Amino acid sequence: MKYQKVHKPVDEREKLRKFRELDDAFAQALRQLEDPDSDFDIPTGPPVRSLAALEKDDVEAKQKERQQELDIAFKQRFEALLSAYGLTHYDLAELTETLLSYGLWRQDEVPGNQQP
């Protein structure tokens, strides 16, 4: 047989006293919230962000990921071209410097789009 605790009936005066204490504490908390000079620290969660901001972040993250994929693909193609022509990075830098120094290629010009 289980033991059942017998609850003592709470006196009505005691109930009223507890209610008043709770009511006073609640009123004090409200006053602190309304006081602009109060240093009452209210625990809050992370800031709420709008759906538009979340979607914007998602689009930016996808663009960044896509750009990283393009960068990797470019580097792979670039290395493959250097390898196919038997060039090193140093050889390419030397060729570029030579073309620039003789005026055969301007720095702001895209190769293959030279004007006659």
Side-chain angles (χ1 to χ4, degrees), residues 10-72:
V10 179
D11 184 20
E12 290 299 316
R13 287 183 185 169
E14 183 66 20
K15 284 183 185 178
L16 187 58
R17 185 188 64 76
K18 287 183 179 182
F19 177 77
R20 284 185 186 147
E21 286 177 2
L22 182 62
D23 187 49
D24 289 344
F26 184 70
Q28 181 182 4
L30 285 176
R31 282 191 298 273
Q32 287 178 338
L33 287 174
E34 292 173 353
D35 182 14
D37 299 326
S38 175
D39 60 347
F40 188 65
D41 187 25
I42 303 169
T44 60
V48 177
R49 301 185 64 208
S50 70
L51 184 57
L54 293 172
E55 288 174 349
K56 181 183 175 192
D57 288 350
D58 190 39
V59 167
E60 288 173 357
K62 287 180 181 178
Q63 287 175 342
K64 185 177 180 180
E65 183 179 327
R66 177 69 178 143
Q67 186 59 47
Q68 288 175 342
E69 290 172 1
L70 290 173
D71 290 348
I72 291 171

Side-chain angles (χ1 to χ4, degrees), residues 101-116:
S101 66
Y102 283 106
L104 300 172
W105 185 29
R106 290 192 303 268
Q107 209 165 0
D108 59 348
E109 190 176 281
V110 177
N113 292 340
Q114 287 103 1
Q115 302 295 330

Side-chain angles (χ1 to χ4, degrees), residues 8 55 66 75 87 89 92 112:
K8 236 187 340 180
E55 288 174 349
R66 177 69 178 143
K75 288 176 184 177
L87 296 172
H89 288 270
L92 182 61

